[in-house]
Amino acid sequence: MHKTGLLFYNRVMTSENKSILLIITGGIAAYKSLELIRLLRKDGAQIRSILTAGGAQFVTPLSVSALCEHPAYTDLWSLKDESEMGHIRLVREADLIVVAPASADFMAKMAHGLADDLASTCLLAADKPILIAPAMNHRMWAHPATQNNVATLRARGVQVIGPDAGAMACGEYGPGRMSEPEVIFNHIHSFFFNTDQLHGLKALVTAGPTFEPIDPVRFIGNRSSGKQGIAIAQALHDSGADVTLVLGPADEPVPAHLRVIKVHTAQEMLAACESALPADIAICAAAVSDWRPAEFQEHKMKKRSDQSPPAIALSENPDILKTLSHHKNRPRLVVGFAAETHNLLDHARQKLKTKGCDWIVANNVSENVFGADENHAFLITSQTTLEWPRAPKAQIARRLVQQITEFFHDRLESHKAAE
Ligand code: C5P
């Protein structure tokens, strides 16, 4: 699987002729953006840069201009810059807009549509893909205001890289460090070159929990947030696949451009999945309830002091992963998830056999995974086990999609060889 995959990924592709608008906002991580510019320039990209007033406190327009080999822009009201370039033209000429570092304040501006300086005005006028690399103190990152803003931006399709956890310039420790320039560079590179590799393929993704009603107000459910499955649907979409996301009741925002079928119960989820067949890829990331109350009580069950608590009889739910794995319209690649609290790999390997799927993504849910933004996972196939260290769920999703891309590329190659 990996041999041809590596050949595929090592194909020499440079960012030549790609134009990037880089916005540097105020944060100590701005010094890393100088290295990012160097990496991108070395790769052949054209860079136009904007420094916010805060950004210019950390790196000078002179350094940025010298590395970009083009003057850095700083001022919305600069008569010279506006007459020669103009903020709309800056946006129009970019293939991609990168904000690195993205400060908490700047993300708030983006989320709320403020346009009070050159950088925010460009973004409000932007119809181009946007990638941001947040950087801030870990408490600022964790603040609900910032988290809401990030969720809003993600829901608009903005790609968020990082932040990483680690020691901070303020002497504290936690998530908030801007991702390393090489990591941001790789994202930019894969944005340009790994897109559309799944073009022409149909993908079905299940995500979130299922709620199995007991009576009109109660249900059996679980703690799944749907984040990992939504991130996978997004990553498949980014790679050009035609994605249907079958989503159980989750609060997580879903990017508006994804096709979503919302369901509540396992039975509804199965029906929605079958309606999305035929598909080439099925990823079952949903935490489907194994059982449902055998009978739905039409009226709210009342507590009676003279009666002991009611016993709720359960029926078994359909196993969606197993059904898809043995379906007459079986997708060419079926991937299941194993959420375990112990003996992770053994249980996951067992699951690969019992479910009849091709791969299992295994994660230890005792490691604070439910509802978290990060995951630590293993990809288990009949031949290999790959470990993906703890990383944002979006990154785990991209890793999975990279393996999917290699799988279909290998198939294509062996078809060609057989012809
Ligand atoms: O059997 P278990 O729930 O541990 O298996 C997990 C995998 O099976 C996940 O991929 C989940 O989406 C899928 N599953 C399913 N339908 C069920 C139960 C689990 O699709 N009823």
Side-chain angles (χ1 to χ4, degrees), residues 206 266 269 283-291 317-322 324 335-340 351 355 360-361:
T206 72
M269 189 173 269
I283 315 278
C284 293
V288 185
S289 175
D290 291 323
W291 306 285
N317 263 332
D319 190 314
I320 298 164
L321 174 61
K322 208 167 177 177
L324 294 177
V335 183
F337 270 65
E340 305 286 346
K351 208 161 281 179
K355 301 272 187 174
I360 287 276
V361 178

Side-chain angles (χ1 to χ4, degrees), residues 3 152 327 416:
K3 219 169 120 238
T152 303
H327 205 279
K416 274 192 207 147

Side-chain angles (χ1 to χ4, degrees), residues 149-263:
N149 292 335
V150 177
T152 303
L153 295 175
R154 278 208 170 102
R156 280 186 207 145
V158 171
Q159 283 193 41
V160 183
I161 307 170
D164 295 345
M168 322 205 83
C170 54
E172 296 182 14
Y173 189 92
R177 278 164 62 114
M178 186 170 90
S179 295
E180 293 307 315
E182 293 77 12
V183 174
I184 303 175
F185 172 81
N186 284 341
H187 273 271
I188 295 173
H189 202 265
S190 58
F191 168 83
F192 285 131
F193 299 111
N194 289 353
T195 51
D196 273 2
Q197 291 190 344
L198 297 179
H199 183 77
L201 297 183
K202 267 186 78 182
L204 159 67
V205 181
T206 72
T210 63
F211 285 180
E212 310 294 334
I214 298 170
D215 67 16
V217 294
R218 303 182 179 92
F219 59 85
I220 298 175
N222 62 66
R223 293 180 197 279
S224 170
S225 64
K227 279 184 187 172
Q228 185 63 81
I230 294 170
I232 291 168
Q234 173 66 47
L236 285 164
H237 173 87
D238 289 344
S239 292
D242 175 10
V243 183
T244 301
L245 172 65
V246 179
L247 181 63
D251 292 333
E252 191 63 17
V254 180
H257 49 263
L258 286 180
R259 184 191 313 121
V260 185
I261 306 180
K262 288 197 172 160
V263 296

Side-chain angles (χ1 to χ4, degrees), residues 88-155:
I88 300 295
R89 210 173 116 199
L90 269 174
V91 170
R92 199 181 292 144
E93 291 186 353
D95 298 306
L96 172 69
I97 302 174
V98 177
V99 186
S103 65
D105 172 67
F106 196 74
M107 287 183 344
K109 275 191 192 178
M110 284 175 76
H112 294 279
L114 299 192
D116 61 354
D117 62 4
L118 180 60
S120 53
T121 305
C122 280
L123 284 173
L124 200 58
D127 55 354
K128 296 297 170 66
I130 301 170
L131 213 144
I132 64 173
M136 67 204 66
N137 168 275
H138 66 104
R139 268 187 279 272
M140 293 169 79
W141 172 251
H143 196 286
T146 305
Q147 287 302 308
N148 282 345
N149 292 335
V150 177
T152 303
L153 295 175
R154 278 208 170 102

